[in-house]
């Protein structure tokens, strides 16, 4: 996800979003996401759910008929958290300008946004700020880097 934007002062900015797969350091706004000590608890819980599901299926009497909507509802409940995890991954936003010449200084702004849909709106907002004010807003997720 990359956009080229011309600032109000004529400089060209590149605004891009990059998906972060690695574990990032905890910040104040991500406190509730960094409480766990790792993926071990999730793996154990998934293993227990699979084992209990298999026990439920194999111990069920043969004359019990399970409607298809019950199976579909259980499948949707089981897949909710992995889908939410995939859609709420952190994205790194970067806005930078300059070609290295002295008359066009290099500026770089970096920030983090959580969520695939949020990053699209933030990239559009940063692009509007650059077109209007020649730089990203200090109120947004981006902050200058030296």
């Amino acid at each position: 996800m990359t956009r080229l934007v011309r600032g109000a002062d004529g400089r060209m900015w590149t605004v891009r979003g990059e998906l972060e797969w690695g574990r990032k350091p905890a910040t104040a706004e991500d406190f509730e996401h960094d409480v766990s000590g790792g993926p071990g608890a999730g793996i154990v819980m998934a293993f227990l759910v699979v084992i209990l599901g298999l026990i439920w299926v194999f111990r069920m009497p043969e004359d019990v008929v399970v409607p298809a909507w019950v199976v579909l509802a259980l499948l949707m409940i089981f897949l909710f958290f992995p889908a939410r995890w995939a859609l709420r991954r952190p994205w790194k936003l970067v806005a930078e300008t300059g070609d290295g010449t002295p008359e066009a200084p290099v500026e770089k702004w970096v920030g983090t946004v959580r969520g695939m849909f949020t990053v699209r709106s933030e990239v559009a907002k940063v692009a509007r700020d650059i077109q209007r004010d020649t730089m990203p807003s200090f109120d947004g997720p981006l902050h200058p880097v030296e």
Side-chain angles (χ1 to χ4, degrees), residues 43-61:
I43 292 170
V44 169
M45 289 303 291
F47 179 72
L48 286 175
V49 166
V50 169
I51 293 296
L52 291 174
L54 290 174
I55 290 172
W56 180 59
V57 168
F58 288 123
R59 299 266 311 167
M60 188 178 301

Side-chain angles (χ1 to χ4, degrees), residues 81-123:
F81 290 106
R84 183 179 182 273
W85 176 84
L87 291 175
R88 297 284 300 154
R89 295 297 306 157
W91 286 70
K92 180 170 79 171
L93 286 181
V94 178
E96 56 189 350
T97 185
D99 56 3
T101 60
E103 57 271 356
V106 175
E107 271 188 71
K108 186 172 185 177
W109 294 57
V110 179
T112 302
V113 176
R114 196 171 267 286
M116 181 187 318
F117 301 113
T118 308
V119 75
R120 286 178 168 247
S121 65
E122 286 296 331
V123 166

Side-chain angles (χ1 to χ4, degrees), residues 1 9 44-45 71 95 109 130 142:
M1 179 179 308
D9 60 354
V44 169
M45 289 303 291
V71 175
W109 294 57
I130 290 172
L142 296 180

